[in-house]
Amino acid sequence: MKLNLEQIPREKTLSKKEFLQKYFKPQKPVVIERFIGDWPAYSKWSLDYVKEVAGEKEVPLYDDRPVKHDEGFNEPHAKMKMADYVDLLKSGPTKYRIFLWNILKEVPELQKDYSYPDFGLRLMKGLPMLFFGGENSHTFMHYDIDLANIFHFHFEGKKQCILFSQSETKFLYKIPHSLITREDIDFADPDLEKWPALKHAKGHITHLEHGNILYIPEGYWHHMKYITPGFSMSLRAIARKPKNFGKAVYNIFVMRHFDNLMRRLKGQEWIDWKNEKAVERTQKLLLQQ
């Protein structure tokens, strides 16, 4: 038995009006296949090009090891020059990923290669982020701290994306005081006997290739798996729903700092307690269905 996932709708292109009516207002994900063909980045951006223009930059790397109490928020597991990282990606499967790499700050000339599309939402122009991954590397199932509307522009390689709305959180074994689910759940091939609540979760799936844009509605959970080495760029717009905006403010100014404090005070005991609570709370909510 597999997860209950429906294919995300795909559109060749979308006008602003169509996007707002069909996807933004009802908060539904969509893949737009042909929208950035006039961007220089569409034809220029590749792993080789990134190596050429940013090869000497030191980049933070992350893998899929479990969160540890003595690691800071988003603390990298390793660092490497971009040129060496691109060589690593091309040499074979690797768990190492780059996420939240701000190209405005690191390689300003790349700004000339893209523009900010008008989808009817005000995009945060200071936060274009790049994400890289090797074959079979993946993120944990998570949602973003600011619950933003995300436009995920994919360039090189193939990537599988699994999404769940916030309404499905009760089935996902969410870790308390955190933005992730249990890290030992393989959402690409989950053990539904071990994690039975997942049988009730209804989600979405798609595969991205060069030039595709995935719209991720505000607060959606997402799990990204790189089928082949590649990279993407995300642009974001602030959460519009008052409930989600309130959650974002809480996450940024309260939750994150409380969790860091408890890690310092309780150590690994705090991490273990949260993992246990994720199962207890999910099982309790499942019995209430």
Side-chain angles (χ1 to χ4, degrees), residues 143-147 178-179 246-257:
Y143 66 93
D144 288 9
I145 194 167
D146 59 355
L147 287 86
S178 181
L179 308 171
K247 279 186 181 179
V249 171
Y250 172 79
N251 289 341
I252 294 168
F253 294 105
V254 180
M255 183 274 291
R256 176 172 57 177
H257 300 292

Side-chain angles (χ1 to χ4, degrees), residues 262-279:
M262 293 303 292
R263 289 190 199 197
R264 290 196 296 271
L265 293 176
K266 296 288 188 179
Q268 190 60 35
E269 180 184 346
W270 172 245
I271 303 295
D272 294 341
W273 178 85
K274 292 201 299 177
N275 278 312
E276 292 171 6
K277 280 297 178 183
V279 176

